[in-house]
Amino acid sequence: MQAHEYSWDACEDAFTLQCFKDFVNAIVHDFRYYIRLGDYIEESVMAQKVVVIYSGGMDSFTVLHHALQQGKSVYALSFDYGQRHVKELDVARSVCENLEIPHKIVDITSINQLLKGSSLTDDMAIPEGHYEEASMQSTVVPNRNMILLSLAIGYAASIEAEAVYYGAHSGDHAIYPDCRPEFVRQMDVASRLANYQPIAVEAPFLTQSKDDILAAGLAMGLDYSATWTCYNGREKACGRCGACNERLEAFRNNGATDPLPYEDA
C-alpha cells in the first residue's frame, strides 16, 4: 500500500460530487496507510529488544555497545554469584546509569553451596600467568555460563526480547567449556525450543580474539577505564592473574595503553 498524491487541482474545471468523494477516499486511504506504517515501526522496534549478560568486564562492555550500535533496545543483566572480583558489578552499574539503559543485578550467591572448586568463588589463591597455562582451569566456575544464560533467557522471554547476547570469544575456548562454539550452538537450539517465543543465543565475538574485541571497541571510541577485568577485587588491578595478562596483551597488540591503574605500575 502506498500513499496517494492528491490535490484540488484535478477538480478545478469540473468540481463534482464524485470528485469530492474521490478526494475524501484518498485521504482516508492514506490515513489508514500511515496508521499501519506506525504499527509496523512500533512492532519492529519492539522486536529489537535484546538481553546482554553484562559482567562489567571489557568483553561484555564491548558486546553491550555492539548491540547498542546495532540499534537494539538493550536490557543489561548482571549476576552476583559470589565472585571475589565483585567490583565489576559496581562498574557495570555505573556504565548502565550513564547510558540510561535498563539494568538488573541479580543475587545468585546461594548457588555456591552447590558449585565448589573455583578460585573465583572459593577460598583459593588466584593463579598467576597466561590463560594458556593449565593452572588457569582453577578459575572455572562449574556450569556458570549455562546457568547465567538460562536465567537470561527466562528474562528475555518475560520482556519479549528476541535474543540474549554474551561475551564468549576464541581466547576462552581452551579453558572454559561453556564458551566454545559447540556449546553456544546447542544453547541457541535449546533456547529456541524452551519457550513459546524463540529466543536466540548470540556471542558476537565467538570466533574472534581478545585483541579483536578490543580493536572493535577502540574503533567505536569506547573508554575502557569504565571496565574491570582483574580476578582480584582489590583497589587496583593486580597485573598478574590470567585476566590481567590477557587484557594487557590485547592493549599491547593494539598499540594502545590500558587506562586502568595497576599495582605494579
Side-chain angles (χ1 to χ4, degrees):
M1 182 187 294
Q2 294 183 340
H4 282 86
E5 293 185 5
Y6 48 83
S7 70
W8 288 104
D9 295 341
C11 303
E12 279 182 342
D13 298 332
F15 180 71
T16 64
L17 179 60
Q18 184 60 47
C19 186
F20 178 73
K21 287 181 178 178
D22 289 345
F23 178 75
V24 171
N25 286 336
I27 293 176
V28 171
H29 175 278
D30 282 4
F31 181 71
R32 290 172 177 168
Y33 167 78
Y34 287 115
I35 287 179
R36 292 182 184 179
L37 180 61
D39 290 342
Y40 172 77
I41 292 172
E42 183 179 1
E43 289 172 3
S44 297
V45 171
M46 290 296 288
Q48 291 178 351
K49 286 183 184 177
V50 298
V51 172
V52 175
I53 298 179
Y54 179 39
S55 69
M58 62 181 291
D59 302 334
S60 59
F61 177 74
T62 310
V63 169
L64 183 82
H65 284 84
H66 169 78
L68 289 170
Q69 288 223 338
Q70 286 184 321
K72 305 296 185 182
S73 178
V74 172
Y75 289 71
L77 182 60
S78 304
F79 295 97
D80 181 353
Y81 56 90
Q83 63 270 44
R84 66 174 67 192
H85 54 301
V86 70
K87 182 175 180 177
E88 65 180 4
L89 297 179
D90 296 330
V91 172
R93 181 185 294 107
S94 177
V95 167
C96 291
E97 286 176 355
N98 289 335
L99 291 172
E100 298 183 341
I101 60 174
H103 180 219
K104 292 184 181 295
I105 299 177
V106 181
D107 185 345
I108 57 170
T109 52
S110 61
I111 68 171
N112 283 331
Q113 59 188 306
L114 302 177
L115 310 177
K116 300 294 183 181
S118 172
S119 57
L120 297 190
T121 55
D122 287 354
D123 188 17
M124 301 166 57
I126 296 288
E128 297 179 357
H130 199 276
Y131 266 125
E132 293 177 354
E133 298 179 23
S135 61
M136 289 299 124
Q137 290 186 8
S138 77
T139 63
V140 174
V141 178
N143 214 37
R144 179 181 63 175
N145 282 343
M146 190 168 187
I147 293 168
L148 303 189
L149 282 167
S150 294
L151 293 170
I153 291 165
Y155 179 41
S158 72
I159 62 172
E160 299 182 345
E162 65 178 10
V164 171
Y165 285 21
Y166 83 117
H169 62 86
S170 64
D172 290 336
H173 297 174
I175 297 297
Y176 301 116
D178 52 8
C179 288
R180 294 172 183 168
E182 54 268 37
F183 170 80
V184 178
R185 285 194 295 268
Q186 294 305 317
M187 279 300 294
D188 178 63
V189 171
S191 179
R192 292 175 186 274
L193 296 173
N195 297 281
Y196 291 116
Q197 171 194 354
I199 297 167
V201 172
E202 299 186 19
F205 298 103
L206 182 62
T207 62
Q208 296 174 270
S209 68
K210 193 87 161 187
D211 294 1
D212 297 327
I213 293 175
L214 180 58
L218 293 175
M220 285 188 273
L222 302 187
D223 177 9
Y224 283 93
S225 67
T227 64
W228 184 260
T229 300
C230 183
Y231 282 154
N232 290 295
R234 299 192 286 264
E235 183 178 351
K236 294 182 179 181
C238 72
R240 297 180 298 276
C241 68
C244 281
N245 270 288
E246 190 182 37
R247 176 183 174 121
L248 287 167
E249 183 178 60
F251 273 94
R252 284 194 300 271
N253 292 342
N254 276 279
T257 301
D258 189 347
L260 283 187
Y262 284 84
E263 291 176 346
D264 295 337

